[in-house]
């Protein structure tokens, strides 16, 4: 079912395609390996946001957006506004603390996970469970991000192509 029908024939995306397009390695530890959970418990989300962003529980709740499937998500636009705020402070010549720089780095990486690595058809948020990947930032290079992109892309294409396209319309081009 990983073959998609388009007007000129069928196509699929191979691991080699994902590596060439993204420039990311297919080798390494599985991003969504045996320790991966689809839904982090609230207390774990609070602990991770405190550790990686310096947020308290109220700030975390205010930044959360609950998706249609009741998945806990961070709003991508809000994440972007927050890491861009650090640049504005620097541009104004204001001193930025090491904690702020670290939090900004994590905010940016979570944003990249939502926009580049694990985008979904909603295009509004990034799943809160991905914050766990940021907790050990020094180990991120050990993961197979190319495989993660390929898996996510195929899953999203499967979701999108479940509905039969109109005659002659490419399921990838809607």
């Amino acid at each position: 079912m990983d073959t998609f029908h388009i007007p000129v024939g069928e196509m699929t995306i191979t691991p080699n395609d994902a590596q060439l397009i993204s420039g990311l390695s297919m080798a390494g530890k599985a991003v969504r390996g045996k320790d991966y959970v689809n839904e982090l418990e609230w207390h774990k989300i609070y602990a991770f946001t405190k550790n990686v962003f310096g947020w308290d529980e109220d700030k975390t709740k205010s930044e959360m957006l609950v998706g249609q499937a009741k998945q806990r998500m961070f709003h991508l636009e809000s994440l972007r506004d927050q890491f861009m705020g650090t640049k504005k402070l620097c541009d104004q010549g204001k001193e930025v603390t090491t904690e702020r720089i670290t939090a900004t780095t994590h905010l940016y990486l979570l944003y990249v996970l939502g926009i580049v690595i694990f985008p979904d058809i909603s295009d509004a948020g990034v799943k809160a469970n991905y914050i766990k990947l940021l907790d050990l930032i020094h180990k991120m290079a050990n993961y197979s991000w190319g495989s993660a992109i390929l898996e996510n892309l195929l899953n999203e294409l499967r979701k999108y192509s479940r509905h039969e396209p109109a005659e002659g319309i490419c399921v990838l081009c809607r």
Side-chain angles (χ1 to χ4, degrees), residues 62-126:
S62 73
E63 295 297 329
M64 297 300 293
L65 135 70
V66 179
Q68 289 180 355
K70 303 291 185 207
Q71 288 183 320
R72 297 171 184 125
M73 303 177 85
F74 292 103
H75 197 277
L76 286 169
E77 189 175 327
S78 178
L79 293 176
R80 185 189 66 228
D81 291 347
Q82 290 186 59
F83 70 74
M84 292 300 291
T86 302
K87 181 180 182 329
K88 289 176 187 169
L89 289 174
C90 290
D91 290 347
Q92 295 169 356
K94 296 182 179 173
E95 188 172 330
V96 179
T97 64
T98 304
E99 291 82 13
R100 175 75 187 239
I101 292 169
T102 301
T104 299
T105 302
H106 285 104
L107 286 163
Y108 180 73
L109 288 172
L110 186 59
Y111 181 81
V112 168
L113 288 174
I115 292 291
V116 179
I117 308 292
F118 302 119
D120 68 10
I121 57 177
S122 76
D123 219 20
V126 59

Side-chain angles (χ1 to χ4, degrees), residues 3 10 15 44 60-61 99 117 121 130 169:
T3 301
E10 295 179 28
K44 290 182 180 178
T60 301
K61 284 179 183 176
E99 291 82 13
I117 308 292
I121 57 177
Y130 296 145
I169 297 178

Side-chain angles (χ1 to χ4, degrees), residues 40 44-56 60 74 79 82 98-110 113 128-138 140:
L40 282 177
K44 290 182 180 178
I45 292 172
Y46 298 144
F48 284 124
T49 57
K50 182 171 181 56
N51 186 36
V52 299
F53 300 145
W55 293 352
D56 62 14
T60 301
F74 292 103
L79 293 176
Q82 290 186 59
T98 304
E99 291 82 13
R100 175 75 187 239
I101 292 169
T102 301
T104 299
T105 302
H106 285 104
L107 286 163
Y108 180 73
L109 288 172
L110 186 59
L113 288 174
N129 54 323
Y130 296 145
I131 197 170
K132 184 178 180 187
L133 299 171
L134 303 177
D135 194 43
L136 301 170
I137 197 168
H138 60 282
M140 288 184 86

